[in-house]
Amino acid sequence: MKTMTTGLDQGRLLHLYRQMQVIRQCEEQLAKSHQRGLIHGACHTYIGQEAIAVGVCAHLRADDAVFSTHRGHGHALAKGMPPAELIAELYGRATGCSRGRGGSMHLFAPEIGMMGTSGIVGPCILQAAGAGYSFKLLKTDRVAVAFFGDGAVNNGAFHEGLNLAGIWKLPVLFVCENNQYATEIPFNYAAGSPTVASRAASYGLPGFALDGNDVEAITAVAGEAVQRARGGGGATLIECKTYRTRAHAEGMGDFTYRTREEVEEWKGRCPIRRLRQRLDAGIGGPVASTVNGNGHHSPDAVDAEVAALVAEAHRSAEASPWPDPATATTHVYDESPRPSPAPPLPPGSREITMMKATHEALAEEMAKNPKIFVLGEGIGKRGGNFKTTEGLYDLHGPERLCDTPICERGFVGLAGGAAMTGSRPVVDFMFADFVLDGVGEILNQIAKMQYMSSGRIKMPILLRGCIGIGHAAATHHSGNYYPLYAHFPGLRVVVPSTPYDAKGLLKRALNCHDPVLFLEPRELLGIKGPVPEQEYEIEFGKAAVVREGRDATVVALAGMVRRTVEACTRLAARGVSVEVIDPRTVSPLDSDTILQSVHKTGRLLIVDEAFAPFGLGAEVAARVIDAGFDDLDAPIRRLHGAFTPTPYSPPLEKAVVPQADDIERAIRALLEE
Amino acid sequence: MAIPVTVPRLGWSMEEGTFLQWLKNDGDDVRAGEPLFVLEGEKAAEDVEALDAGTLHLNSGGPRPGDRVKVGEVIAHLAAHGEVLTPSQNVDSKPVPALAPPAGPSARRLARSLGVAIEQVSASGPTGRITEEDIRRHRQSVETVVPAVAVRNEPVASPRARRTARERGIDWKSLQGSGPNGRIRERDVCAAPARKTDGRLIPHTTVRRTIAARMVAGVTQAAPVTLTTRIDATNLVSFREQFKSTGTTDAIVPSYTDLIVKLCAVALRQHPLLQAQWREDGLFVPERIDIAIAVDTDGGLLVPVLRSVDQLGVRPLAAQARELVELARAGRLSAEQMRDATFTVTNLGSLGIDAFTPILNLPQCAILGVGRIVREPTVVNDQVVVRDRMTLSLTFDHRIVDGAPAARFLDTLRRCLEQPVPWLVP
């Protein structure tokens, strides 16, 4: 294969050579360590592909962001991670780059712009696009790079991410390392078109197909792409044809899907040897006349220096302490200290709808904080299907009120990357049902990011959408979903039932550093309630005692709060006194307020429109039995929506949701117990 | 320095594999990247490549084809040319530690629930696995206490009602519940008058709980009726006096209880239904006559059993009874020694009691209460004479026998006791 001549001088070339050697020798050390049992999980080596990470990262600054894949050791090292931190992470040590929380597939060093490797194929493309969005919004010249394999390009994330980067001209390099096998599936089987680069045309991007083992060629093309991105010219797709010469993962068989001959042939095209031969032939000037950044004058000296570096990295990693098991659950949420919140404000006399209340909260925060931007379908000029952003486009323009194509996975994944890199995205789903196609981005990426990065990446992202049954919306516009999200560590899940709560909780969401699912009961959007005009926030994990009582406690959420109050008003006329508690957030869930109430009443009913199995009722009941068993004078009862998709026809629809009559009956039955 | 050749992990979860063969011989020069040996993991056999170069030194006692090897185990070394391996580099792999005996989950669960240490159980089956039956057998062999007959007719109270009762010093078990299925609720406790009495609580012992359960069963699960009769014990007293006056110091003198037990056996032979047992499908009549005697001990009432009383002479019976009483008072009776009596005799005579209403020990049909012997004036042939008199109290289960047959049994016993010699002399 012909090597592209780039005119790089001897010093630059020797630096590239050294970077490739660092990767190669680290990987060889890791392969040995895997055999010797020092690596406890998976280990995917980058051997054979070194030219790509090195050629691209040669142009990156520490504040540029790299998003990588499961085969990411080379990207981390090329971005500047010291070998000892990489090796210690794979050994599971406290000094590892992710402090032992990640391993091979979750390498994080945000301090140097290494924004993570991922065990899931595809999301890095969306996250890089999101970082590009942040850099553009914040008016910087930073760029983002996504490294991914050929296995990622037949995934929706590739299509959605490149399209979004294309239409918004985001400063991103999409670097496809086409090593020809997605684990064991050949690219020429999995793709209809023989090249990845040609797909760039579909998204209006420049695309380049390169020899992935030619570091000079990659350096040249990547350099131009980085310049283009920094200058506002938008994204570039670069396909680098290469080959991994070790198995997919250490310990796996390699010759069921490819031949020894093929592997041997590609070993012969080793990118490091290739550059070495060019250096030895005197390319870039006489060897002795230049000095590389580390003061080593010859490839041989570099080899020796790198060998000593890697040996020392291995030694120090093996000697490093294990992480403290007591810290296993830290960094699930943001742990930075916060001033204690002001006492709750009285509701006042002004009455507005919940829709208006959340609009006020968003408008006030957007005016204060230029890092906030909104993504969604029809939230720009149109002002949102539910008027969530009405009038804001005129104030803040299209970058901060950004209409999206219909690609929930794409823009949620992108928002995750934006949150990781300094902006504060608000994703408006319209209906919470719509995001289910992209829910992996929420559960696998957004929820886990703070933990995977041991708290060094914050995730200030607000995900909002309507929930709940009503208006014959049928089953794709009526789901509740909060039990699903509440199951996962890393998320805050807010379900307001009054305009007052909605505004205070949305304000809190826009000032905290955790991902927040803000789920708005659609049936309540137009109902008015008192909301103060002054500034206020409501803490997460503080339930509201909606109504005080002594005979029984009812925990109700969202639309069920009003119906429960209606039932209790009827019962009060007969002398029955019921306490009603609205948790307001289901993650965190305020057990204390519920327990205090049950301590008083001895009886508990949970009323929830969502499904019963593994739901709010089960969780509240379990917590009360754990901590308040002796307070119970009767079995705990649950009243949930029917366990069925939502029907369309009004009589059917009414039958699957608890009504005030049902609630009244359930309370009476509880009092008989 | 020699580089160890270790067994690699093939796939994520492999802990052990099967060594299939060396692809190089001892002493061969190996280049990095050359296939070195074949290892079978969870999915397939793989050629394992050498990561380093050197001269291959196989460990003596290293794996042979087909051997199981553990991940990380050192099976050879790669040495530099001319390097001599030190003995520590050429040692056999570590022995595998002994494993706990294999047992299925159900056997483990049973062991947990019965409190049996599974390591102490030996397996009986050909596979060497411990079965549920092995656990039960093991437990029986070490069991020393009688499993109490659990009586669950207690009232039910809500947790809150129980707590309130505790706080107010009210015994909620004495309350009437107003909830579903009679559940006692907090309101029922609040309605009860608070009772605060000075005193102390003696925690229940296992023996106390067992006695309580059996006594409650004797009055709630049967139809007990008590008959009493006065008998003339003059001859019985005189019979026993003869033992006393003729015996040496260490010869055993039968107690009144011993003599009465023996005579009960005589009467039971004639009235076998008095030791019949109520079963769902009929009355079971035991063949043997095994009579329990009630013994008062510091730990509570115990009932050791004399076996085949009708077959025993008076002296052996007395010897056995004495031994059982001593064991009972020392707290050393085995469960076996208290099991399966067909009739019970309880004697409160030494404590000055004349008559009482003994409680059945189910599934027995009857129990005889023995009162004290009193010398008193009696009318015999219209003459007032001094005689030894005592009262017998027989409680029987009216489900099993009616009043008349029970009375006939008691009358037979009376006659035996009044004329004991023919029945007591072999």
Side-chain angles (χ1 to χ4, degrees), chain B residues 188-203:
Chain B
D188 303 321
V189 179
C190 295
R195 200 180 46 196
K196 204 155 165 64
T197 46
D198 293 333
R200 69 194 174 96
L201 181 74
I202 301 166

Side-chain angles (χ1 to χ4, degrees), chain A residues 260-277:
Chain A
R260 285 182 189 278
E261 292 70 33
E262 187 182 287
V263 175
E264 286 308 314
E265 191 207 326
W266 276 94
K267 280 183 182 168
R269 300 192 211 171
C270 170
I272 301 175
R273 195 184 316 151
R274 200 155 136 188
L275 180 58
R276 174 66 189 259
Q277 284 162 357

Side-chain angles (χ1 to χ4, degrees), chain B residues 218 221-227 273-274 276 278 283 360 362 364-366 394-407:
Chain B
Q221 295 173 19
V225 178
T226 303
L227 307 176
L273 281 185
L274 267 290
W278 180 269
L283 295 179
L360 293 171
L362 293 183
Q364 296 164 36
C365 173
L394 177 77
T395 298
F396 69 96
D397 185 348
H398 210 323
R399 292 180 304 169
I400 297 170
V401 288
D402 296 330

Side-chain angles (χ1 to χ4, degrees), chain B residues 63-353:
Chain B
R64 284 164 308 178
D67 281 357
R68 297 292 283 168
V69 285
K70 287 180 117 46
V71 169
E73 189 176 324
V74 177
I75 55 175
H77 287 84
L78 290 169
H81 273 294
E83 184 182 1
V84 178
L85 295 188
T86 61
S88 66
Q89 288 173 317
N90 195 7
V91 290
D92 298 349
S93 53
K94 280 180 203 153
V96 180
L99 294 169
S106 62
R108 287 182 186 282
R109 186 177 55 227
L110 183 67
R112 269 199 307 278
S113 69
L114 296 178
V116 169
I118 205 154
E119 311 78 55
Q120 295 170 6
V121 181
S122 49
S124 61
T127 59
R129 287 184 82 78
I130 293 169
T131 63
E132 288 183 58
E133 205 183 313
D134 294 331
I135 305 275
R136 288 208 184 84
R137 192 182 313 109
H138 179 84
R139 174 143 196 271
Q140 235 163 25
S141 70
V142 298
E143 191 178 45
T144 52
V145 290
V146 193
V149 181
V151 183
R152 293 274 325 169
N153 56 354
E154 293 172 357
V156 178
S158 75
R160 190 182 183 94
R162 279 184 262 153
R163 185 184 58 192
T164 306
R166 209 164 43 238
E167 285 164 2
R168 298 185 178 205
I170 292 172
D171 175 16
W172 57 266
K173 288 183 182 173
S174 64
L175 302 179
Q176 198 71 33
S178 62
N181 304 317
R183 187 193 304 135
I184 295 162
R185 301 180 289 180
E186 190 188 31
R187 64 191 74 166
D188 303 321
V189 179
C190 295
R195 200 180 46 196
K196 204 155 165 64
T197 46
D198 293 333
R200 69 194 174 96
L201 181 74
I202 301 166
H204 292 318
T205 60
T206 312
V207 172
R208 194 72 249 152
R209 285 184 192 280
T210 307
I211 293 169
R214 297 212 165 178
M215 293 301 126
V216 170
V219 291
T220 58
Q221 295 173 19
V225 178
T226 303
L227 307 176
T228 57
T229 185
R230 302 269 300 157
I231 70 158
D232 189 322
T234 311
N235 290 339
L236 192 68
V237 171
S238 126
F239 182 81
R240 184 162 178 273
E241 285 305 317
Q242 293 168 43
F243 273 94
K244 277 168 98 172
S245 55
T246 59
T248 56
T249 41
D250 37 335
I252 293 170
V253 175
S255 67
Y256 285 113
T257 304
D258 297 339
L259 298 175
I260 292 166
V261 164
K262 177 68 189 167
L263 292 166
C264 278
V266 172
L268 284 168
R269 266 293 163 243
Q270 294 177 35
H271 304 270
L273 281 185
L274 267 290
Q275 61 168 2
Q277 296 173 7
W278 180 269
R279 293 188 182 173
E280 281 313 306
D281 49 350
L283 295 179
F284 172 72
V285 186
E287 184 50 44
R288 283 199 339 214
I289 297 174
D290 295 339
I291 298 179
I293 48 176
V295 181
D296 175 42
T297 73
D298 292 343
L301 174 68
L302 293 173
V303 277
V305 183
L306 291 155
R307 306 283 168 194
S308 297
V309 175
D310 55 329
Q311 315 283 315
L312 284 177
V314 172
R315 278 184 194 276
L317 184 148
Q320 278 186 29
R322 178 179 292 191
E323 191 189 337
L324 287 171
V325 169
E326 278 167 8
L327 284 173
R329 298 214 161 114
R332 288 172 40 229
L333 277 179
S334 73
E336 188 53 42
Q337 286 168 314
M338 292 188 282
R339 191 173 283 166
D340 299 334
T342 60
F343 187 84
T344 299
V345 173
T346 172
N347 188 343
L348 293 178
S350 63
L351 300 172
I353 298 302

Side-chain angles (χ1 to χ4, degrees), chain A residues 24-269:
Chain A
R24 174 67 55 94
Q25 294 197 26
C26 273
E27 294 289 39
E28 284 175 344
Q29 176 60 53
L30 290 171
K32 287 180 195 176
S33 299
H34 186 271
Q35 281 216 2
R36 286 167 198 166
L38 289 170
I39 295 171
H40 315 281
C43 178
H44 306 92
T45 70
Y46 195 65
I47 291 178
Q49 307 184 191
E50 295 89 344
I52 305 164
V54 168
V56 172
C57 291
H59 303 286
L60 300 183
R61 308 190 305 240
D63 64 348
D64 294 325
V66 162
F67 299 83
S68 162
T69 71
H70 57 281
R71 196 175 306 289
H73 306 168
H75 308 132
L77 293 167
K79 194 68 177 51
M81 182 180 288
E85 285 188 26
L86 169 71
I87 296 174
E89 183 61 29
L90 272 88
Y91 294 180
R93 305 308 168 109
T95 56
C97 63
S98 304
R99 315 295 185 246
R101 282 169 165 67
S104 172
M105 286 187 282
H106 311 279
L107 305 171
F108 284 85
E111 303 81 7
I112 55 163
M114 182 61 205
M115 304 308 287
T117 62
S118 175
I120 309 293
V121 168
C124 66
I125 297 174
L126 301 173
Q127 287 160 5
Y133 202 98
S134 274
F135 299 158
K136 198 169 174 216
L137 180 80
L138 302 175
K139 315 243 179 296
T140 70
D141 68 345
R142 297 159 70 186
V143 300
V145 178
F147 288 103
F148 50 91
D150 49 289
V153 305
N154 301 313
N155 182 296
F158 174 85
H159 168 61
E160 296 180 27
L162 267 70
N163 188 55
L164 292 173
I167 62 172
W168 294 333
K169 278 204 165 316
L170 302 179
V172 186
L173 272 66
F174 296 105
V175 182
C176 174
E177 302 177 328
N178 184 351
N179 66 18
Q180 305 174 51
Y181 296 94
T183 306
E184 301 189 358
I185 305 299
F187 180 68
N188 61 17
Y189 163 83
S193 159
T195 79
V196 176
S198 64
R199 299 189 190 186
S202 312
Y203 312 113
L205 299 179
F208 297 88
L210 301 182
D211 174 355
N213 289 17
D214 181 350
V215 71
E216 292 173 74
I218 295 163
T219 307
V221 171
E224 289 163 17
V226 168
Q227 280 316 109
R228 189 161 44 248
R230 291 203 201 283
T236 304
L237 171 62
I238 301 173
E239 176 189 13
C240 300
K241 283 237 171 66
T242 185
Y243 202 86
R244 59 169 161 75
T245 52
R246 292 190 67 77
H248 167 71
E250 288 306 294
M252 277 177 73
D254 210 16
F255 301 114
T256 51
Y257 64 98
R258 62 185 194 179
T259 62
R260 285 182 189 278
E261 292 70 33
E262 187 182 287
V263 175
E264 286 308 314
E265 191 207 326
W266 276 94
K267 280 183 182 168
R269 300 192 211 171

